[in-house]
Amino acid sequence: MLKSILKLILKCIIFCFLTALTQIGGIVYICSELFIKKTATKYRIKKLTVFVIIYLASTFILIPYIAPLFGREKIQDNPTIEAHTFFTKLCNRNYVTPKLHSALKNIARNFQKNHPNSKIIYLDANFPFVNGFPLPPHVSHNDGKKIDISFVYKDLTGNNSNDSPSILGYGVYENPKPQEYNQPKICIQKGYWQYDFAKFLTFGIIKKELILSEKVTKDLLLAIVHQKEIGKVFIEPHLKNRLGVQNSKIRFHGCHAVRHDDHIHFQLK
């Protein structure tokens, strides 16, 4: 009896984890449980195989055609826009509304006029279905109208790179300098422990030699705020001041969120 209860609890945890990570993973997990009988030979291998087949077919074949019914569309990688990691696309975190997709493409084109070798590198966007469905660990990526993009970095030779220091693009901070306003320290001292949480989501630093390209990141930020459809941009106050971009669209996101000195968040009006 106890063993059965523990198995059920474990399955519930797997369901919740896969749902939080990919939106559809929990449902696919249930399907794989139902399709393969426990009495089947090599039960676990068959169940895993069915899960992988259904999940990949759903993610890369079915969902791109179904998502528009929910007002979302898949971000298409092109010479101006690219996902930082395949993991984002594998987990269905690359969906936005058509309006944001159009604005994103316009921003990328305008940005590339001055920096033809640089792309917009996006991190997490939104899930494909249902407004209000959370996209952990983000607070507000639940309506197709928000997206995170990477800063622009340069290598030791001074050349711009389309890479990011960390595996997932988050968690490597551009910390305040001694003379700069230190919002992260203030939020953490107030008890908002999660404000610094993204440093645990780097999953490793793979490009330690990369440093922030302040000039090109400033141009990227200007391209974003000058796009008329964009209503809010989140970046840490010390970086806003350091880059010298003063615009009413640039807001402080609040201590209840996480630090924004490892990426830029922007959203529609």
Side-chain angles (χ1 to χ4, degrees):
M1 182 67 177
L2 179 60
K3 187 176 180 180
S4 297
I5 293 174
L6 291 176
K7 283 185 177 180
L8 179 60
I9 292 173
L10 178 60
K11 289 180 180 181
C12 288
I13 292 173
I14 293 173
F15 172 84
C16 291
F17 173 76
L18 291 174
T19 300
L21 184 66
T22 69
Q23 193 175 46
I24 68 163
I27 294 175
V28 175
Y29 174 71
I30 291 176
C31 291
S32 65
E33 285 279 317
L34 295 175
F35 287 169
I36 305 299
K37 295 181 180 180
K38 292 183 179 180
T39 55
T41 57
K42 297 183 179 179
Y43 163 71
R44 289 185 176 84
I45 294 176
K46 289 181 178 179
K47 186 173 70 171
L48 178 60
T49 301
V50 169
F51 173 85
V52 170
I53 292 172
I54 296 176
Y55 183 83
L56 293 179
S58 299
T59 294
F60 296 108
I61 300 174
L62 295 178
I63 291 178
Y65 292 99
I66 300 173
L69 300 176
F70 293 82
R72 314 276 175 92
E73 62 185 33
K74 182 179 179 179
I75 299 174
Q76 299 292 340
D77 285 5
N78 61 54
T80 64
I81 301 169
E82 184 178 300
H84 170 62
T85 171
F86 179 72
F87 180 80
T88 299
K89 296 183 282 188
L90 181 64
C91 293
N92 299 298
R93 291 170 170 249
N94 59 330
Y95 284 81
V96 292
T97 64
K99 187 175 182 180
L100 180 55
H101 199 187
S102 176
L104 181 64
K105 288 186 281 189
N106 287 337
I107 291 168
R109 281 194 293 266
N110 292 332
F111 174 60
Q112 274 205 342
K113 289 177 182 178
N114 295 320
H115 305 285
N117 295 322
S118 294
K119 298 181 180 182
I120 296 278
I121 304 299
Y122 72 90
L123 308 176
D124 277 349
N126 309 262
F127 283 138
F129 307 127
V130 187
N131 285 342
F133 194 100
L135 183 113
H138 304 278
V139 173
S140 64
H141 290 229
N142 60 8
D143 58 4
K145 299 178 181 180
K146 284 94 176 180
I147 190 168
D148 290 344
I149 65 172
S150 176
F151 295 148
V152 182
Y153 296 89
K154 57 185 178 181
D155 58 28
L156 295 178
T157 65
N159 293 318
N160 292 333
S161 172
N162 288 316
D163 288 324
S164 176
S166 71
I167 291 177
L168 293 185
Y170 293 102
V172 177
Y173 303 126
E174 297 299 324
N175 289 303
K177 296 178 181 179
Q179 72 276 15
E180 291 179 327
Y181 183 73
N182 196 329
Q183 186 66 62
K185 181 178 180 180
I186 292 172
C187 287
I188 294 169
Q189 287 179 340
K190 287 182 178 179
Y192 293 94
W193 60 269
Q194 89 295 335
Y195 200 73
D196 206 33
F197 181 74
K199 67 184 179 183
F200 300 111
L201 300 178
T202 61
F203 285 85
I205 300 175
I206 55 174
K207 298 283 185 176
K208 294 182 180 180
E209 73 277 9
L210 294 180
I211 59 175
L212 179 67
S213 176
E214 295 184 4
K215 180 184 182 303
V216 184
T217 299
K218 176 180 179 178
D219 290 343
L220 174 58
L221 192 55
L222 287 171
I224 295 169
V225 298
H226 288 161
Q227 184 65 35
K228 62 181 181 180
E229 291 86 1
I230 301 305
K232 293 181 182 179
V233 180
F234 295 155
I235 190 171
E236 286 295 327
H238 70 272
L239 285 182
K240 172 187 173 182
N241 294 330
R242 187 189 303 176
L243 298 178
V245 180
Q246 302 300 320
N247 189 286
S248 60
K249 293 181 181 180
I250 303 177
R251 315 280 184 85
F252 172 55
H253 39 279
C255 288
H256 65 284
V258 296
R259 293 176 64 161
H260 282 68
D261 51 358
D262 58 348
H263 69 281
I264 300 171
H265 165 110
F266 63 89
Q267 61 193 62
L268 294 176
K269 293 179 179 177

